[in-house]
Amino acid sequence: MEIVIADKSHIIYAEIICETIAEAAKVRGTGIAKRKPEYIATKMENGNAVIALDGETFAGFCYIEQWGHGKFVANSGLIVHPNYRGLGLSKQIKQAVFNHSRNKFPDAKIFSITTGLAVMKLNSNLGYKPVTFSELTNDQSFWNGCQTCKNYDVLQRTEQKMCLCTGMLYDPSSKIEKEDKKIKEGVFKRLKNIKHTLFLKDKK
């Protein structure tokens, strides 16, 4: 297994990456913003993605987005192909794209919004902390990208203040040690349950 910074030679995998993301959204029943192959290809061409390959077989992927004139970056679209799940690959990809983000954008704050408990735990181990949406980028083009998510109506109803996703932020200027930032998985689980109760009760 090899995890590398993606480039033009990996554009041949853009279609399967998008298909894998879409299928994962159906299985989880959670909100995942859709992406087109052309968008993924652009990320590869700009060196803003990492890809995991087993020989020539696609195994996993994640990409970097810039917001607020480079003040913020996000590691988005983390996905592992079903054939390679349960092997700890998502953790390796997350670490690789985080390291790449820190090297390429050393002064930028790195943020994430996710409904996935596993991703929340991975973020916490890297030094992210849960934050309100107001602490994330105010670049409207980022939030517009949520329009393809099944839970977009929740974001609209709350005037972009909160959603089923949890906002998490890594601030490179913070003096707090990484160990002090780790949050137990049970905390994320309770937070997720509370949000589901608040925002989805009208749909039941």
Side-chain angles (χ1 to χ4, degrees), residues 5 18 21 45-46 51 66 68 78 85 91 94 98 109 112 128 149 156 160 184 190 193:
I5 297 172
C18 292
I21 291 174
E45 290 176 336
N46 294 337
I51 188 168
Q66 288 181 268
L78 175 62
R85 289 173 188 163
K91 182 177 181 180
K94 188 71 177 177
F98 179 78
K109 294 179 180 180
S112 168
Y128 290 70
C149 173
Q156 287 181 303
Q160 287 186 187
K184 292 183 179 180
R190 289 195 295 274
N193 289 339

PDB file of all heavy atoms in Angstrom, residues 5 18 21 45-46 51 66 68 78 85 91 94 98 109 112 128 149 156 160 184 190 193:
ATOM      1  N   ILE A   5       1.147  12.028  -2.625  1.00  0.00           N
ATOM      2  CA  ILE A   5       0.498  13.264  -3.037  1.00  0.00           C
ATOM      3  C   ILE A   5       0.040  13.075  -4.481  1.00  0.00           C
ATOM      4  O   ILE A   5       0.837  12.724  -5.351  1.00  0.00           O
ATOM      5  CB  ILE A   5       1.456  14.458  -2.925  1.00  0.00           C
ATOM      6  CG1 ILE A   5       1.864  14.664  -1.457  1.00  0.00           C
ATOM      7  CG2 ILE A   5       0.795  15.730  -3.477  1.00  0.00           C
ATOM      8  CD1 ILE A   5       2.953  15.706  -1.268  1.00  0.00           C
ATOM      9  N   CYS A  18     -15.364   9.542  -6.861  1.00  0.00           N
ATOM     10  CA  CYS A  18     -16.693  10.142  -6.715  1.00  0.00           C
ATOM     11  C   CYS A  18     -17.761   9.082  -6.473  1.00  0.00           C
ATOM     12  O   CYS A  18     -18.677   9.271  -5.663  1.00  0.00           O
ATOM     13  CB  CYS A  18     -17.038  10.970  -7.947  1.00  0.00           C
ATOM     14  SG  CYS A  18     -16.027  12.451  -8.133  1.00  0.00           S
ATOM     15  N   ILE A  21     -17.489   7.872  -2.845  1.00  0.00           N
ATOM     16  CA  ILE A  21     -18.035   8.872  -1.918  1.00  0.00           C
ATOM     17  C   ILE A  21     -19.557   8.815  -1.917  1.00  0.00           C
ATOM     18  O   ILE A  21     -20.199   8.834  -0.870  1.00  0.00           O
ATOM     19  CB  ILE A  21     -17.547  10.281  -2.289  1.00  0.00           C
ATOM     20  CG1 ILE A  21     -16.047  10.418  -2.013  1.00  0.00           C
ATOM     21  CG2 ILE A  21     -18.311  11.350  -1.506  1.00  0.00           C
ATOM     22  CD1 ILE A  21     -15.438  11.730  -2.481  1.00  0.00           C
ATOM     23  N   GLU A  45      -4.381  17.919  -9.985  1.00  0.00           N
ATOM     24  CA  GLU A  45      -3.493  18.736 -10.822  1.00  0.00           C
ATOM     25  C   GLU A  45      -2.759  19.792 -10.004  1.00  0.00           C
ATOM     26  O   GLU A  45      -1.598  20.111 -10.290  1.00  0.00           O
ATOM     27  CB  GLU A  45      -4.297  19.416 -11.927  1.00  0.00           C
ATOM     28  CG  GLU A  45      -4.812  18.465 -12.993  1.00  0.00           C
ATOM     29  CD  GLU A  45      -5.687  19.174 -14.009  1.00  0.00           C
ATOM     30  OE1 GLU A  45      -6.262  20.232 -13.675  1.00  0.00           O
ATOM     31  OE2 GLU A  45      -5.783  18.660 -15.148  1.00  0.00           O
ATOM     32  N   ASN A  46      -3.424  20.316  -8.974  1.00  0.00           N
ATOM     33  CA  ASN A  46      -2.824  21.359  -8.134  1.00  0.00           C
ATOM     34  C   ASN A  46      -2.003  20.810  -6.970  1.00  0.00           C
ATOM     35  O   ASN A  46      -1.473  21.579  -6.171  1.00  0.00           O
ATOM     36  CB  ASN A  46      -3.924  22.273  -7.590  1.00  0.00           C
ATOM     37  CG  ASN A  46      -4.625  23.062  -8.685  1.00  0.00           C
ATOM     38  OD1 ASN A  46      -4.058  23.274  -9.750  1.00  0.00           O
ATOM     39  ND2 ASN A  46      -5.851  23.491  -8.434  1.00  0.00           N
ATOM     40  N   ILE A  51      -3.626  10.241  -2.304  1.00  0.00           N
ATOM     41  CA  ILE A  51      -4.339   9.053  -2.752  1.00  0.00           C
ATOM     42  C   ILE A  51      -3.609   7.806  -2.271  1.00  0.00           C
ATOM     43  O   ILE A  51      -2.370   7.777  -2.223  1.00  0.00           O
ATOM     44  CB  ILE A  51      -4.480   9.048  -4.295  1.00  0.00           C
ATOM     45  CG1 ILE A  51      -5.390   7.917  -4.761  1.00  0.00           C
ATOM     46  CG2 ILE A  51      -3.115   8.993  -4.983  1.00  0.00           C
ATOM     47  CD1 ILE A  51      -5.794   8.022  -6.231  1.00  0.00           C
ATOM     48  N   GLN A  66      -8.819  25.405   0.042  1.00  0.00           N
ATOM     49  CA  GLN A  66      -8.414  26.685   0.640  1.00  0.00           C
ATOM     50  C   GLN A  66      -9.609  27.613   0.720  1.00  0.00           C
ATOM     51  O   GLN A  66     -10.406  27.694  -0.212  1.00  0.00           O
ATOM     52  CB  GLN A  66      -7.338  27.358  -0.218  1.00  0.00           C
ATOM     53  CG  GLN A  66      -5.975  26.731  -0.173  1.00  0.00           C
ATOM     54  CD  GLN A  66      -4.997  27.513  -1.039  1.00  0.00           C
ATOM     55  OE1 GLN A  66      -4.814  27.223  -2.206  1.00  0.00           O
ATOM     56  NE2 GLN A  66      -4.382  28.527  -0.457  1.00  0.00           N
ATOM     57  N   GLY A  68     -11.068  31.623   2.515  1.00  0.00           N
ATOM     58  CA  GLY A  68     -10.707  32.883   3.170  1.00  0.00           C
ATOM     59  C   GLY A  68      -9.341  33.377   2.780  1.00  0.00           C
ATOM     60  O   GLY A  68      -8.553  33.786   3.634  1.00  0.00           O
ATOM     61  N   LEU A  78     -12.575  12.598   2.701  1.00  0.00           N
ATOM     62  CA  LEU A  78     -11.854  11.398   3.143  1.00  0.00           C
ATOM     63  C   LEU A  78     -12.706  10.161   2.848  1.00  0.00           C
ATOM     64  O   LEU A  78     -13.831  10.044   3.321  1.00  0.00           O
ATOM     65  CB  LEU A  78     -11.557  11.482   4.639  1.00  0.00           C
ATOM     66  CG  LEU A  78     -10.914  10.240   5.275  1.00  0.00           C
ATOM     67  CD1 LEU A  78      -9.552   9.959   4.644  1.00  0.00           C
ATOM     68  CD2 LEU A  78     -10.781  10.415   6.779  1.00  0.00           C
ATOM     69  N   ARG A  85     -11.476  -1.249   3.878  1.00  0.00           N
ATOM     70  CA  ARG A  85     -11.897  -0.728   5.175  1.00  0.00           C
ATOM     71  C   ARG A  85     -11.572  -1.712   6.284  1.00  0.00           C
ATOM     72  O   ARG A  85     -11.459  -2.914   6.066  1.00  0.00           O
ATOM     73  CB  ARG A  85     -13.396  -0.405   5.152  1.00  0.00           C
ATOM     74  CG  ARG A  85     -13.692   0.811   4.283  1.00  0.00           C
ATOM     75  CD  ARG A  85     -15.161   1.089   4.094  1.00  0.00           C
ATOM     76  NE  ARG A  85     -15.336   2.147   3.088  1.00  0.00           N
ATOM     77  CZ  ARG A  85     -16.465   2.396   2.462  1.00  0.00           C
ATOM     78  NH1 ARG A  85     -17.554   1.691   2.727  1.00  0.00           N
ATOM     79  NH2 ARG A  85     -16.530   3.368   1.566  1.00  0.00           N
ATOM     80  N   LYS A  91      -6.945   6.307   8.920  1.00  0.00           N
ATOM     81  CA  LYS A  91      -6.049   7.013   9.837  1.00  0.00           C
ATOM     82  C   LYS A  91      -4.759   7.418   9.134  1.00  0.00           C
ATOM     83  O   LYS A  91      -4.254   8.535   9.317  1.00  0.00           O
ATOM     84  CB  LYS A  91      -5.728   6.121  11.042  1.00  0.00           C
ATOM     85  CG  LYS A  91      -4.839   6.790  12.080  1.00  0.00           C
ATOM     86  CD  LYS A  91      -4.617   5.872  13.268  1.00  0.00           C
ATOM     87  CE  LYS A  91      -3.746   6.551  14.322  1.00  0.00           C
ATOM     88  NZ  LYS A  91      -3.527   5.653  15.500  1.00  0.00           N
ATOM     89  N   LYS A  94      -5.559  10.249   6.683  1.00  0.00           N
ATOM     90  CA  LYS A  94      -5.810  11.483   7.428  1.00  0.00           C
ATOM     91  C   LYS A  94      -4.495  12.100   7.896  1.00  0.00           C
ATOM     92  O   LYS A  94      -4.304  13.322   7.813  1.00  0.00           O
ATOM     93  CB  LYS A  94      -6.703  11.180   8.632  1.00  0.00           C
ATOM     94  CG  LYS A  94      -7.197  12.414   9.384  1.00  0.00           C
ATOM     95  CD  LYS A  94      -8.215  13.193   8.597  1.00  0.00           C
ATOM     96  CE  LYS A  94      -8.756  14.363   9.378  1.00  0.00           C
ATOM     97  NZ  LYS A  94      -9.707  15.178   8.616  1.00  0.00           N
ATOM     98  N   PHE A  98      -3.029  15.658   6.479  1.00  0.00           N
ATOM     99  CA  PHE A  98      -2.776  16.665   7.515  1.00  0.00           C
ATOM    100  C   PHE A  98      -1.333  17.165   7.425  1.00  0.00           C
ATOM    101  O   PHE A  98      -1.075  18.374   7.444  1.00  0.00           O
ATOM    102  CB  PHE A  98      -3.044  16.065   8.895  1.00  0.00           C
ATOM    103  CG  PHE A  98      -2.785  17.001  10.043  1.00  0.00           C
ATOM    104  CD1 PHE A  98      -3.707  17.995  10.374  1.00  0.00           C
ATOM    105  CD2 PHE A  98      -1.629  16.893  10.799  1.00  0.00           C
ATOM    106  CE1 PHE A  98      -3.473  18.860  11.434  1.00  0.00           C
ATOM    107  CE2 PHE A  98      -1.383  17.751  11.866  1.00  0.00           C
ATOM    108  CZ  PHE A  98      -2.317  18.742  12.184  1.00  0.00           C
ATOM    109  N   LYS A 109      -5.186  27.849   9.382  1.00  0.00           N
ATOM    110  CA  LYS A 109      -5.944  27.039  10.330  1.00  0.00           C
ATOM    111  C   LYS A 109      -6.615  25.930   9.534  1.00  0.00           C
ATOM    112  O   LYS A 109      -7.157  26.165   8.453  1.00  0.00           O
ATOM    113  CB  LYS A 109      -7.007  27.885  11.038  1.00  0.00           C
ATOM    114  CG  LYS A 109      -6.432  28.965  11.945  1.00  0.00           C
ATOM    115  CD  LYS A 109      -7.546  29.770  12.593  1.00  0.00           C
ATOM    116  CE  LYS A 109      -6.977  30.859  13.502  1.00  0.00           C
ATOM    117  NZ  LYS A 109      -8.060  31.664  14.142  1.00  0.00           N
ATOM    118  N   SER A 112     -12.506  21.148   9.867  1.00  0.00           N
ATOM    119  CA  SER A 112     -13.278  20.033   9.348  1.00  0.00           C
ATOM    120  C   SER A 112     -14.703  20.137   9.860  1.00  0.00           C
ATOM    121  O   SER A 112     -14.920  20.572  10.996  1.00  0.00           O
ATOM    122  CB  SER A 112     -12.657  18.702   9.823  1.00  0.00           C
ATOM    123  OG  SER A 112     -13.515  17.608   9.574  1.00  0.00           O
ATOM    124  N   TYR A 128      -7.048  18.694  16.592  1.00  0.00           N
ATOM    125  CA  TYR A 128      -8.234  19.509  16.363  1.00  0.00           C
ATOM    126  C   TYR A 128      -9.044  19.601  17.660  1.00  0.00           C
ATOM    127  O   TYR A 128      -8.983  18.717  18.514  1.00  0.00           O
ATOM    128  CB  TYR A 128      -9.156  18.871  15.332  1.00  0.00           C
ATOM    129  CG  TYR A 128      -8.692  18.851  13.899  1.00  0.00           C
ATOM    130  CD1 TYR A 128      -7.622  18.047  13.482  1.00  0.00           C
ATOM    131  CD2 TYR A 128      -9.369  19.579  12.923  1.00  0.00           C
ATOM    132  CE1 TYR A 128      -7.242  17.980  12.144  1.00  0.00           C
ATOM    133  CE2 TYR A 128      -9.001  19.521  11.588  1.00  0.00           C
ATOM    134  CZ  TYR A 128      -7.945  18.722  11.207  1.00  0.00           C
ATOM    135  OH  TYR A 128      -7.576  18.654   9.896  1.00  0.00           O
ATOM    136  N   CYS A 149     -25.639  18.362   0.191  1.00  0.00           N
ATOM    137  CA  CYS A 149     -25.780  17.490   1.361  1.00  0.00           C
ATOM    138  C   CYS A 149     -27.260  17.321   1.708  1.00  0.00           C
ATOM    139  O   CYS A 149     -28.037  18.283   1.637  1.00  0.00           O
ATOM    140  CB  CYS A 149     -25.022  18.084   2.549  1.00  0.00           C
ATOM    141  SG  CYS A 149     -25.284  17.187   4.104  1.00  0.00           S
ATOM    142  N   GLN A 156     -29.627  25.772   6.787  1.00  0.00           N
ATOM    143  CA  GLN A 156     -30.407  26.954   6.439  1.00  0.00           C
ATOM    144  C   GLN A 156     -31.289  27.409   7.600  1.00  0.00           C
ATOM    145  O   GLN A 156     -31.365  28.601   7.899  1.00  0.00           O
ATOM    146  CB  GLN A 156     -31.280  26.668   5.213  1.00  0.00           C
ATOM    147  CG  GLN A 156     -30.518  26.573   3.899  1.00  0.00           C
ATOM    148  CD  GLN A 156     -31.448  26.318   2.740  1.00  0.00           C
ATOM    149  OE1 GLN A 156     -32.204  25.349   2.717  1.00  0.00           O
ATOM    150  NE2 GLN A 156     -31.411  27.204   1.758  1.00  0.00           N
ATOM    151  N   GLN A 160     -26.827  29.062   9.291  1.00  0.00           N
ATOM    152  CA  GLN A 160     -25.422  28.633   9.191  1.00  0.00           C
ATOM    153  C   GLN A 160     -24.689  28.648  10.530  1.00  0.00           C
ATOM    154  O   GLN A 160     -23.461  28.680  10.565  1.00  0.00           O
ATOM    155  CB  GLN A 160     -24.658  29.486   8.177  1.00  0.00           C
ATOM    156  CG  GLN A 160     -25.009  29.183   6.739  1.00  0.00           C
ATOM    157  CD  GLN A 160     -24.158  29.903   5.723  1.00  0.00           C
ATOM    158  OE1 GLN A 160     -24.410  29.842   4.518  1.00  0.00           O
ATOM    159  NE2 GLN A 160     -23.125  30.611   6.158  1.00  0.00           N
ATOM    160  N   LYS A 184     -12.660  12.452  24.252  1.00  0.00           N
ATOM    161  CA  LYS A 184     -13.093  11.069  24.241  1.00  0.00           C
ATOM    162  C   LYS A 184     -14.213  10.870  23.215  1.00  0.00           C
ATOM    163  O   LYS A 184     -15.051  11.719  23.002  1.00  0.00           O
ATOM    164  CB  LYS A 184     -13.573  10.655  25.630  1.00  0.00           C
ATOM    165  CG  LYS A 184     -12.450  10.598  26.662  1.00  0.00           C
ATOM    166  CD  LYS A 184     -12.971  10.112  28.000  1.00  0.00           C
ATOM    167  CE  LYS A 184     -11.842  10.028  29.015  1.00  0.00           C
ATOM    168  NZ  LYS A 184     -12.324   9.564  30.344  1.00  0.00           N
ATOM    169  N   ARG A 190     -22.346  11.598  22.161  1.00  0.00           N
ATOM    170  CA  ARG A 190     -23.441  12.302  22.833  1.00  0.00           C
ATOM    171  C   ARG A 190     -23.824  13.569  22.066  1.00  0.00           C
ATOM    172  O   ARG A 190     -25.006  13.890  21.922  1.00  0.00           O
ATOM    173  CB  ARG A 190     -23.042  12.650  24.275  1.00  0.00           C
ATOM    174  CG  ARG A 190     -22.975  11.444  25.189  1.00  0.00           C
ATOM    175  CD  ARG A 190     -22.931  11.866  26.649  1.00  0.00           C
ATOM    176  NE  ARG A 190     -21.711  12.598  26.972  1.00  0.00           N
ATOM    177  CZ  ARG A 190     -20.565  12.001  27.318  1.00  0.00           C
ATOM    178  NH1 ARG A 190     -20.485  10.675  27.374  1.00  0.00           N
ATOM    179  NH2 ARG A 190     -19.504  12.730  27.624  1.00  0.00           N
ATOM    180  N   ASN A 193     -25.843  12.625  19.003  1.00  0.00           N
ATOM    181  CA  ASN A 193     -27.205  12.218  19.369  1.00  0.00           C
ATOM    182  C   ASN A 193     -28.076  13.428  19.694  1.00  0.00           C
ATOM    183  O   ASN A 193     -29.254  13.476  19.336  1.00  0.00           O
ATOM    184  CB  ASN A 193     -27.168  11.261  20.559  1.00  0.00           C
ATOM    185  CG  ASN A 193     -26.613   9.900  20.182  1.00  0.00           C
ATOM    186  OD1 ASN A 193     -26.618   9.517  19.014  1.00  0.00           O
ATOM    187  ND2 ASN A 193     -26.143   9.157  21.171  1.00  0.00           N
TER     188      ASN A 193
END
